[in-house]
Amino acid sequence: MRPHSWLYVALFLPLALAMTVDRQLEERATRKDATVLILGGGVAGVIAARTFHEQGIDFKIVEALPQLGGRMQSFPFGAEGNQRVLELGPNWVQGTETPGGPENPIWGLVKKHGVKTQDNDWTSSITTYDFTGEVNYLDLFDASIDQFTNLTIAAGERVSGNLVDLSSRSGYSLVSAKPKTPQAAACEYYQLDWETAGSPEVSSMIATSWVASIADNFTYDPDFGGFGDDNAMSIDQRGFHTFIQAEADTFMKSSQLLLNSTVSNIQYNTSGVQVTLVGGKKLTADYALVTFSVGVLQNDDVVWEPELPDWKQEAIQSMTMETYTKVFFQFDQNFWFNTEMALYADLERGRYPVWQSMDHPKFFPGSGIVFVTVTGDFSIRIESLPDAQVQSEVLGVLQAMFPNITIPTPTAFHFPRWHANPLFRGSYSNWPPSFSSGHHQNLKATVAQSLWFAEEATSQKYFGFLQGAYFEGNEVASAMAKCIQNKGCVELQDVADVSNAQPYQI
Ligand SMILES: Cc1cc2nc3c(=O)[nH]c(=O)nc-3n(C[C@H](O)[C@H](O)[C@H](O)COP(=O)(O)OP(=O)(O)OC[C@H]3O[C@@H](n4cnc5c(N)ncnc54)[C@H](O)[C@@H]3O)c2cc1C
Ligand SMILES: *[C@@H]1O[C@H](CO)[C@@H](O)[C@H](O)[C@H]1NC(C)=O
Ligand SMILES: *[C@@H]1O[C@H](CO)[C@@H](O)[C@H](O)[C@H]1NC(C)=O
Ligand SMILES: *[C@@H]1O[C@H](CO)[C@@H](O)[C@H](O)[C@H]1NC(C)=O
Ligand SMILES: *[C@@H]1O[C@H](CO)[C@@H](O)[C@H](O)[C@H]1NC(C)=O
Ligand SMILES: *[C@@H]1O[C@H](CO)[C@@H](O)[C@H](O)[C@H]1NC(C)=O
C-alpha cells in the first residue's frame, strides 16, 4: 500500500466516520437532493438505480437527453409509407446464453420485456466482394478467424507469463498473421476492427482477445465464462432501448428522474458533491456515481472542482473512445446479396467494408434497406464531410461491388455523428496497448470518497458492450451501498503511480 493509503486508513477513516456522525449528516440532511446522484441514464445508470432501489438507498438520475437509454437510440428510417425503426447505437445482444451456463444479463432483460430479436449469422451467411465485384475469398475469411484465435492464445500466454502488453498488430505479426492483400486485410478488419472499432495498431493485444471477434474469450467462449456465440439482433419496432426503459419503469418514480438536465460542473470533496446543470440549477448529494462515457470525461465537457487527481486524469486520457458508424441506405428495390452480411475489400483498408442487408427474410423483407459500417479514423473522417459527399462515396463503392447494374438513387440516407456528439464523443471504448491494469483500476477508482465511476469502459471483461455497462452499474452501486449502509467506506482503491516493472536505463 502506498503511504497515501495508510494516511487514509490511519487518519482519514476515523475522521470521516466522526464527521459522518456529527457534522456531515446534519449539514447534508438540510440541503441534499439525494444520497446519490447518478449522473447519466444509460444502461449503467439505470442498473445502478435498480441496485440502489433494492438496497433502499435514495437516488436521483440526472440525464441530458429527454429519455433513458444513453447510447441505445432508435429512429424511424425510410421513405414515407416504407419506414422501419432502426438502431443508431447498439443493435445486438452479443453472446446470449449457453444451456446450463451463464446468461448475458442483457439477454435476460430482453426476454423479460419481450424485445423482438433475430439471430444474426456473422460467419456463414456472408458474401465477399472487392473493387472488381463479387469475388469469393471465404478461404481467407476462415483463416482470419483462426488467426484471431491464435492471437488470443498468444495473448493468454503473455498474461500468464506476466509479459507486457503489445499492440494487436505486433501480436498478429508474432503469430505470423500478416495480411498482404486488400482481401486479407478486409477479413482481418472484420474479426478485429469491426468489434473494437479501432485498428490492430491502436488496440491492445491482451484486451482485444477478451472482447473482439466471434472468437473472443469473455463474451462468446463459454469455457472462459462467456455466454455463447449467438448475436441476437433487435428488430423490435419499439426500439432496442425498450428493455432498459421498461426495466426502469418497474421500480423508478418520476421524482427520481431528472431528464433534459445537462451537467456542466461537478464540485466535490470528501463530504459530498454539488452538481451544477446548464441553466444554473444546483443539486447536492453525499455521493455522485458518474456514468458518462470516457469520451465525455476526456473532452472537458464537464468541469471538475477541484481538478481530478493526476492518477485519474492519466487513466481517463489513456483509454480510447472509438467510433463505430452505421451508414443507412434505402432503395426502391433490393439489388444486392442474399446473405445477411457482405464484406467489401477496398484498396484502402477500412473503406466501407462491412455490409448488412435488412431486406432479408429474417429481418425486414421488402424494406429496401442496407447499411454499411465504418469505424475509427474512417468514422471521424466521414463525420467531417457533408452528407452528400459520403452518400456519393458509398454509391461509388456499391457500383464497384455490382459492376453490371446501374446503382439507383437511394430513397433514404442517414448516418449519425457519434464522435462529434458532446454527450458521447464516440461510440464505445477501446483498450489501447499503452493502457495497463493499473490504469484500468484507476479509471474505476473512487475520488475523494464521494465520486464513483461506472460505465462500459470501467469493465475489464466486457468494455464496449451493453453487458459491460450492466455489470459495472450493478457492481459499483453495490459497493457504494455497502459504504452508505456502514456509514463509512472502503473505497475502490487507486494506484498512485502506474510504473514500469523494469525502469529505462539511459
Ligand atoms: C454505434 C454503436 C453500436 C454499438 N453496438 C453495440 C452492440 O451491438 N452490442 C453491445 O453490447 N454494445 C454495443 N454498443 C456499446 C453500448 O452502447 C455501450 O456499451 C452502452 O450503451 C454504454 O452504456 P453506459 O451506461 O456505460 O453509457 P451511456 O449509454 O453513454 O450513458 C451515459 C449517459 O450520460 C449522459 N450524459 C453524458 N454527458 C452528460 C452531461 N454532461 N450531463 C448529463 N448527462 C450526460 C448521456 O446522454 C448518456 O445517456 C454500441 C455503441 C454504439 C454507439
Ligand atoms: C424534455 O425536452 C423535450 C424537448 O426537447 C420535451 O419534449 C420534453 O417534454 C422534456 N421532458 C421533460 C421530462 O422535461
Ligand atoms: C494458428 O497457429 C497454429 C499453431 O502455431 C498454426 O499451425 C496455424 O497455421 C495458425 N493458423 C493460422 C490461420 O495462421
Ligand atoms: C483466450 O482463450 C484462449 C482459448 O481459446 C486461451 O488459450 C487464452 O489463454 C485466452 N486468452 C486470454 C488473454 O485470456
Ligand atoms: C465541502 O464542500 C462544501 C461546499 O461545496 C462545503 O460546505 C464543505 O465545508 C466542504 N467540506 C469539506 C470537508 O471540505
Ligand atoms: C458482369 O458482366 C460480365 C461481362 O458480361 C460477366 O463476365 C460477369 O460474370 C458479370 N458479373 C456478374 C456479377 O453478373
Side-chain angles (χ1 to χ4, degrees), residues 152-153 155-156 159 206 209-210 217 221 224:
T152 69
I153 294 168
V159 172
I206 289 171
S209 72
W210 295 332
N217 286 21
D221 187 346
F224 282 81

Side-chain angles (χ1 to χ4, degrees), residues 64-67 257-261:
L65 291 171
Q67 78 279 324
L257 185 53
L258 292 166
L259 294 172
N260 291 344
S261 301

Side-chain angles (χ1 to χ4, degrees), residues 33 47 97 106 120 141 164 245 269 282 297 349 359 378 406 442 489 498 504:
D33 293 282
I47 296 303
E97 61 184 324
I106 300 299
N120 185 189
F141 183 83
V164 291
Q245 292 178 352
N269 60 27
K282 291 186 194 306
L297 301 181
R349 189 183 183 282
D359 192 344
F378 202 88
T406 302
N442 284 349
C489 200
V498 180
Y504 295 98

Side-chain angles (χ1 to χ4, degrees), residues 13-24:
L13 269 185
L15 188 71
L17 287 174
M19 279 171 57
T20 305
V21 179
D22 308 336
R23 185 153 49 92
Q24 279 178 300

Side-chain angles (χ1 to χ4, degrees), residues 22 33 42 48 64 109 114 119 143 156 175 208 239 290 295 314 329 340 349 358 385-386 416 424 475-476 480 501:
D22 308 336
D33 293 282
L109 289 178
D119 176 57
V175 298
T208 294
V290 182
E314 181 177 320
F329 282 84
E340 295 173 41
R349 189 183 183 282
M358 291 292 93
L385 301 177
F424 302 98
E475 186 193 307
V476 177
M480 291 175 76

Side-chain angles (χ1 to χ4, degrees), residues 88-389:
L88 296 167
N91 210 155
W92 298 285
V93 184
Q94 300 187 246
T96 53
E97 61 184 324
T98 301
E103 178 185 84
N104 185 332
I106 300 299
W107 184 236
L109 289 178
V110 159
K111 288 190 293 187
K112 176 176 175 187
H113 298 292
V115 173
K116 195 173 172 196
T117 62
Q118 262 293 0
D119 176 57
N120 185 189
D121 185 343
W122 290 352
T123 45
S124 45
S125 183
I126 184 161
T127 311
T128 51
Y129 295 84
D130 68 18
F131 40 88
T132 66
E134 184 178 337
V135 177
N136 185 333
Y137 51 88
L138 290 170
D139 53 335
L140 294 176
F141 183 83
D142 291 341
S144 73
I145 297 176
D146 294 342
Q147 287 164 340
F148 187 85
T149 301
N150 281 356
L151 182 74
T152 69
I153 294 168
E157 285 162 7
R158 300 197 78 80
V159 172
S160 51
N162 196 27
L163 300 173
V164 291
D165 196 7
L166 299 171
S167 71
S168 294
R169 172 59 66 222
S170 304
Y172 264 141
S173 298
L174 290 169
V175 298
S176 300
K178 301 173 186 174
K180 292 277 192 306
T181 62
Q183 295 78 6
C187 293
E188 179 191 76
Y189 177 100
Y190 193 87
Q191 304 309 330
L192 195 141
D193 308 43
W194 187 45
E195 190 56 68
T196 62
S199 65
E201 286 74 12
V202 301
S203 301
S204 150
M205 172 180 177
I206 289 171
T208 294
S209 72
W210 295 332
V211 298
S213 181
I214 44 196
D216 92 39
N217 286 21
F218 292 141
T219 279
Y220 295 114
D221 187 346
D223 291 345
F224 282 81
F227 311 111
D229 50 18
D230 284 348
N231 290 293
M233 186 168 195
S234 172
I235 53 169
D236 198 302
Q237 291 300 288
R238 298 168 298 170
F240 191 19
H241 59 222
T242 298
F243 78 77
I244 197 71
Q245 292 178 352
E247 187 63 10
D249 287 344
T250 65
F251 67 89
M252 213 184 294
K253 299 192 205 72
S254 59
S255 60
Q256 291 172 312
L257 185 53
L258 292 166
L259 294 172
N260 291 344
S261 301
T262 304
V263 174
S264 60
N265 177 295
I266 301 174
Q267 275 178 281
Y268 64 94
N269 60 27
T270 50
S271 42
V273 295
Q274 184 177 72
V275 170
T276 307
L277 305 182
V278 169
K281 189 175 175 183
K282 291 186 194 306
L283 302 164
T284 55
D286 296 346
Y287 301 94
L289 175 57
V290 182
T291 74
F292 303 153
S293 78
V294 70
V296 169
L297 301 181
Q298 284 169 348
N299 282 282
D300 310 321
D301 294 305
V302 174
V303 175
W304 305 88
E305 286 178 43
E307 275 191 3
L308 290 172
D310 288 348
W311 57 261
K312 186 62 135 188
Q313 293 194 37
E314 181 177 320
I316 288 169
Q317 299 302 343
S318 300
M319 192 59 160
T320 306
M321 189 71 176
E322 286 289 3
T323 306
Y324 180 101
T325 315
K326 301 180 231 183
V327 185
F328 299 96
F329 282 84
Q330 186 185 49
F331 294 95
D332 271 335
Q333 273 197 334
N334 181 336
F335 57 83
W336 49 91
F337 42 92
N338 296 323
T339 48
E340 295 173 41
M341 310 298 299
L343 182 58
Y344 166 70
D346 195 273
L347 285 170
E348 180 187 339
R349 189 183 183 282
R351 188 167 182 272
Y352 306 113
V354 180
W355 291 77
Q356 278 184 263
S357 179
M358 291 292 93
D359 192 344
H360 182 281
K362 277 168 73 173
F363 305 110
F364 303 125
S367 65
I369 297 173
V370 64
F371 69 93
V372 59
T373 298
V374 297
T375 56
D377 290 347
F378 202 88
S379 286
I380 296 172
R381 175 185 166 270
I382 70 166
E383 282 196 22
S384 70
L385 301 177
D387 281 19
Q389 187 174 337

